[in-house]
Amino acid sequence: MARDARKPRKPLALPQWVRKLPVPHRLRGARSSRATAPPGGTPDTPDVPEFPGTLVPGPRPYVRALGLIATTLAGAWLGLLIVGSIDAPVGPMDTKMALRPALTGGTKINVSPLGALELRSHTAPLRLDVDVDQLDQERASALVDHPERLEGLESEITSDVKAGTGDLALRSAVAVVVGAGALGLAVYRRPRRAALAGGLALALLAASGATACATWNPKSVLEPKFSGLLAGAPSVVGNARSIVTEFDIYQRELARLVTNVTKLYEATSTLPAYQPDPSTTRVLHVSDIHLNPAAWQIIKSLVEQYEIDAIIDTGDTMDHGTSAENGFLEPVTDLGAPYVWVRGNHDSDKTQKAFEEMGEEEGSNVHVLDDGVPLNVAGLRLAGWGDPQFTPDRSVKPEGDPRERRDGRRLALALRAQKAAGTPVDIAVAHNPVLAKETDGLVPLALAGHTHQRSNELLPRDTRLMIEGSTGGGGLRAVEKEEPQKVSASVLYLDRDDGGLQAWDEITLGGLGLTTAEVTRHLADEPGSSPSPSPSTTGPGSPSPGPASGSPGPTPAASPGPANSP
């Protein structure tokens, strides 16, 4: 039967699986076109979309998420920076508290003009900054005039800190929400996205706060890092023996800290005297002076400030070991404490003889360690071995680590003999760490130098090896570098009864021409008190590692300048 031509043709039906296919892309520039129909008639074909544009993929979800997170973090940081701080009184001081983004967390207390205290109080992406703005004269005078009020200072400070941190948490929450929301609105122009950014910022702040609470270390004040005036460090840090035995809770340490700061502000001309504990032996460890005359004044100042009982020098006092350099040793007898020395690879036999002659003088406190012969100084039993190599002598080929290990085994044999005789040695002393490591398990503590880089390592048999940097800042060679090498020394606190190491202060000064000072306290029995071994790369001004033993002699040069080796 013939089809009626006047009736419109039905469109062909697409299969069901085709009609259900998802549309994977957005259409750009698409528009609908309707076929032209005759006047009064109907169109011959249905609406058919035209696609003159191109297909553009939409933004991927993870890109949008990363953008939102970046916007949230930036806005939260701006909010904390602008309005995220509060003014809070803590005892007799007016402080400003603030939260700041930081990878390692912790607490930083700025005590102007003395410097700053850094505490590893928590591990979270937020750091608590406390700026001591000024000392309230009325409250401070009231404490001075009425000492009995100091008994209630602990509870007062604890209450002030709790109130301040509570207000700071509330202010910080508002700051991050407002900051993230405002930046989200400026970037996306959508209130929903802005609200999402604000909520995400609040969630991140809450998570950081929970992490800080979970990792809170109330004893972090026992190991502060002090930067600023070196003379004020012992007073602010406190006494090692007292810290270990008496101050075991956070509130008391905080009260002690605030009290010390109050005294520091009150004393305008002189700082409070450091009160050493009578049951603690204090040893100053120095090394690698390398003919730097400024080192003697630094050592003498540390001896006076810390009430040092003995000085241990792990060698390389000279650069070339010539007889002409022996006059450099004259200040040793006037340092105010017994001076114990072991030969380094830049110290010749002539250098050692000069030290021995100084020790033979009447009333002298100069002592030389060598060949494992024990020596009693300041209640400690010491034994050491001079470096077997003298690298400035170009007529002798350095034998490297094998020679160091051989003499190290000889020192270990002497230590075993002392232990068998019932007179064990407390500290083994050497210049090269390779030699000192051979004493592992025979002494609780071994001291060395040579590398010009401070490090601390607990050896497999529980001997702690402490390597000191250069107390002479690398010597006169330091002027050859763009950045002067830092001056390093350490104060060791040892038990006077058994010689056990209780704590130590790492003292770091700026090199030639610089006046910065930094003191870091470590406790021997606290977790994390065993720092990682010395770094494998050398920093600016550090000696480059040499072949074999790492103790190359000076490179040949026409000028008589100082050698470039450790």
Side-chain angles (χ1 to χ4, degrees):
M1 180 169 129
R3 182 180 66 84
D4 189 353
R6 293 174 299 178
K7 292 183 179 181
R9 179 177 295 176
K10 294 182 179 180
L12 296 176
L14 295 175
Q16 184 177 4
W17 67 273
V18 174
R19 295 199 304 269
K20 291 185 177 181
L21 284 177
V23 180
H25 299 84
R26 293 185 301 166
L27 304 179
R28 185 174 65 187
R31 66 176 184 269
S32 297
S33 175
R34 187 178 297 274
T36 304
T42 58
D44 293 334
T45 59
D47 292 344
V48 179
E50 295 181 1
F51 309 107
T54 58
L55 296 176
V56 179
R60 297 179 181 179
Y62 72 86
V63 175
R64 293 197 299 268
L66 289 178
L68 180 62
I69 292 175
T71 302
T72 300
L73 292 177
W77 180 79
L78 289 174
L80 287 176
L81 191 63
I82 297 174
V83 297
S85 62
I86 64 168
D87 295 324
V90 177
M93 299 179 299
D94 295 328
T95 68
K96 183 181 292 293
M97 297 183 179
L99 291 178
R100 295 289 181 259
L103 294 178
T104 57
T107 300
K108 185 175 183 180
I109 304 174
N110 297 304
V111 187
S112 178
L114 300 176
L117 278 169
E118 296 182 19
L119 310 176
R120 295 189 293 268
S121 57
H122 62 277
T123 303
L126 286 176
R127 185 186 71 204
L128 174 62
D129 285 358
V130 181
D131 295 330
V132 179
D133 291 338
Q134 62 181 356
L135 180 71
D136 187 281
Q137 295 296 332
E138 294 183 1
R139 285 179 285 171
S141 299
L143 290 175
V144 174
D145 297 337
H146 303 280
E148 66 276 4
R149 297 185 182 181
L150 290 173
E151 296 180 1
L153 184 60
E154 175 186 336
S155 58
E156 178 185 350
I157 291 173
T158 303
S159 176
D160 291 343
V161 171
K162 287 182 179 179
T165 52
D167 294 342
L168 179 61
L170 181 61
R171 172 69 70 90
S172 299
V174 175
V176 298
V177 170
V178 173
L183 187 60
L185 186 61
V187 172
Y188 295 106
R189 307 292 180 89
R190 296 179 182 177
R192 182 179 177 182
R193 286 291 180 89
L196 184 60
L200 181 59
L202 184 60
L204 291 175
L205 180 64
S208 300
T211 304
C213 292
T215 59
W216 179 252
N217 179 20
K219 292 188 177 182
S220 61
V221 75
L222 296 176
E223 296 185 293
K225 181 178 180 181
F226 181 83
S227 302
L229 297 177
L230 177 61
S235 300
V236 178
V237 170
N239 177 270
R241 182 69 176 181
S242 299
I243 284 177
V244 173
T245 58
E246 299 175 13
F247 298 96
D248 55 352
I249 59 174
Y250 173 69
Q251 288 85 350
R252 292 185 182 179
E253 285 299 330
L254 187 59
R256 176 182 173 88
L257 173 63
V258 175
T259 303
N260 278 331
V261 172
T262 302
K263 292 179 180 178
L264 287 173
Y265 269 103
E266 286 292 327
T268 57
S269 58
T270 59
L271 292 172
Y274 175 64
Q275 298 297 332
D277 192 282
S279 61
T280 300
T281 300
R282 294 158 305 283
V283 173
L284 178 62
H285 182 197
V286 300
S287 187
D288 295 86
I289 294 175
H290 285 288
L291 287 178
N292 185 352
W296 301 130
Q297 186 60 42
I298 293 172
I299 293 174
K300 188 173 183 179
S301 176
L302 292 174
V303 168
E304 295 174 353
Q305 185 65 36
Y306 284 84
E307 297 286 345
I308 295 298
D309 296 305
I311 306 167
I312 298 180
D313 183 351
T314 48
D316 270 8
T317 309
M318 304 301 194
D319 244 340
H320 297 89
T322 63
S323 299
E325 294 174 332
N326 289 344
F328 175 73
L329 304 178
E330 292 181 1
V332 169
T333 56
D334 297 326
L335 295 178
Y339 197 92
V340 182
W341 179 85
V342 70
R343 187 178 66 251
N345 64 296
H346 279 260
D347 303 317
S348 65
D349 292 337
K350 297 177 182 178
T351 305
Q352 180 162 326
K353 185 177 180 180
F355 269 108
E356 290 172 347
E357 291 177 352
M358 294 171 62
E360 293 172 358
E361 297 177 0
E362 185 178 356
S364 175
N365 274 330
V366 178
H367 308 276
V368 176
L369 294 176
D370 201 6
D371 298 331
V373 178
L375 175 69
N376 293 325
V377 177
L380 299 171
R381 192 162 179 81
L382 314 175
W385 201 286
D387 199 291
Q389 303 183 92
F390 179 55
T391 54
D393 186 358
R394 288 302 173 178
S395 65
V396 179
K397 183 179 179 180
E399 298 184 30
D401 288 356
R403 182 73 182 275
E404 300 287 345
R405 292 193 181 97
R406 186 185 69 186
D407 282 12
R409 289 191 290 269
R410 291 178 177 177
L411 175 59
L413 185 62
L415 296 177
R416 288 191 184 94
Q418 291 295 318
K419 194 172 184 179
T423 55
V425 172
D426 298 315
I427 303 176
V429 185
H431 176 68
N432 196 313
V434 175
L435 193 156
K437 286 183 178 180
E438 296 298 322
T439 65
D440 185 19
L442 299 173
V443 289
L445 179 63
L447 303 181
H450 181 65
T451 64
H452 292 202
Q453 291 182 348
R454 176 192 286 132
S455 67
N456 192 304
E457 180 181 359
L458 199 60
L459 299 178
R461 297 178 182 176
D462 295 332
T463 292
R464 184 181 294 276
L465 174 61
M466 304 185 74
I467 303 174
E468 191 53 72
S470 175
T471 309
L476 298 179
R477 75 190 66 176
V479 300
E480 299 174 357
K481 306 291 184 178
E482 293 183 2
E483 292 289 337
Q485 187 174 341
K486 294 182 178 180
V487 174
S488 300
S490 296
V491 177
L492 314 180
Y493 302 93
L494 301 106
D495 190 280
R496 182 156 295 182
D497 297 329
D498 58 12
L501 181 66
Q502 297 173 347
W504 68 92
D505 289 340
E506 294 180 349
I507 301 168
T508 306
L509 309 179
L512 292 176
L514 302 180
T515 57
T516 59
E518 182 177 287
V519 180
T520 305
R521 166 66 51 83
H522 298 276
L523 296 181
D525 57 353
E526 284 293 318
S529 63
S530 299
S532 59
S534 57
S536 58
T537 58
T538 57
S542 301
S544 302
S549 66
S551 56
T555 54
S559 63
N564 294 325
S565 65

